[in-house]
Amino acid sequence: MTSTDDEHDLKPKSGALWEWYEKDVRALLDKIDGSKVTHNVKRTGVISKVERQIDVLVEGSVTASRITIAVECKHYAKPLGIGKIDEFAGKLADLEVDQGILYALSGVTSGAQARADGAYPKIEIRNLAQAATPPRSWEQYLDDALKFGDCGSPTCPGGEVDWSEWPQSNSISVKALRVRLERYQGLIASPLNRVGREPGIQ
């Protein structure tokens, strides 16, 4: 499958695919307690310091865990390519939301799907192309979305947080917290964490 990422979005507002998209989003909201939905959200990026736009922002909780999900829907003449996944992943990181859901009404390329599978924050592709495998259930999605400590990519900065080194007490000193924070920031800044772990290192 080929793709041109700079094609104009067809922006469908009616028809079977659009109805499926709206119904699927409503089904997700039913699984999230106290869900708050905001359309056409505009927020300043934490990294970029410029205003970013999200089609739909979902805020709520699942099993007492707070979660924020950015939802966007793309309808291009051709399947979405890697560039659009990179763009969405960058927006999620800039806005510090927990998860992203991207509806692709004309499908995605295999490379774009692979890019989404390794993204952090995690990106769920809802491929609505006729020949596509039906998207997984929202129960499966939320179960995976709430897993802690695994970013889903072998090149994720910092990897998993090891809580075993932290004292099981509320009396930890500010100095000790600062030392541990500096250690963790050092791990994130390490070239090994930017390009992937060295073979044999866990």
Side-chain angles (χ1 to χ4, degrees):
M1 300 172 79
T2 58
S3 169
T4 303
D5 279 331
D6 60 355
E7 294 209 39
H8 295 296
D9 195 338
L10 303 181
K11 292 292 184 185
K13 299 297 181 183
S14 61
L17 284 178
W18 191 259
E19 290 175 4
W20 195 100
Y21 157 65
E22 293 184 325
K23 181 179 179 180
D24 198 47
V25 172
R26 286 196 297 270
L28 169 63
L29 300 181
D30 289 341
K31 304 295 181 183
I32 300 177
D33 297 330
S35 59
K36 174 187 175 183
V37 181
T38 311
H39 295 267
N40 193 28
V41 177
K42 294 181 179 179
R43 288 186 175 182
T44 300
V46 176
I47 302 169
S48 67
K49 309 300 181 186
V50 299
E51 188 176 80
R52 310 295 300 268
Q53 184 270 344
I54 302 173
D55 290 350
V56 178
L57 183 66
V58 179
E59 301 170 275
S61 61
V62 180
T63 62
S65 297
R66 295 294 300 173
I67 188 170
T68 56
I69 304 172
V71 182
E72 294 201 343
C73 181
K74 301 295 183 184
H75 188 199
Y76 289 78
K78 294 181 180 180
L80 294 185
I82 293 177
K84 287 301 176 185
I85 307 302
D86 280 337
E87 179 184 313
F88 190 45
K91 182 185 293 187
L92 297 178
D94 197 15
L95 296 175
E96 293 190 338
V97 297
D98 300 316
Q99 305 282 330
I101 299 174
L102 187 60
Y103 285 85
L105 273 65
S106 296
V108 295
T109 64
S110 58
Q113 182 65 61
R115 173 66 180 92
D117 291 342
Y120 185 76
K122 294 180 179 179
I123 295 177
E124 171 80 0
I125 297 291
R126 308 293 277 184
N127 188 346
L128 305 190
Q130 282 189 330
T133 302
R136 61 178 173 169
S137 71
W138 286 127
E139 288 84 358
Q140 292 174 312
Y141 164 76
L142 290 171
D143 180 62
D144 184 55
L146 294 175
K147 290 179 180 176
F148 178 77
D150 182 6
C151 77
S153 171
T155 58
C156 175
E160 296 189 7
V161 178
D162 183 4
W163 295 106
S164 63
E165 295 185 8
W166 288 74
Q168 304 301 309
S169 168
N170 293 327
S171 62
I172 183 171
S173 68
V174 174
K175 181 179 179 180
L177 279 173
R178 186 178 296 115
V179 170
R180 290 190 169 104
L181 177 59
E182 289 174 353
R183 282 183 57 199
Y184 187 64
Q185 288 174 332
L187 286 172
I188 293 177
S190 168
L192 286 178
N193 279 320
R194 287 198 295 269
V195 301
R197 293 183 177 86
E198 199 173 87
I201 296 179
Q202 299 299 317

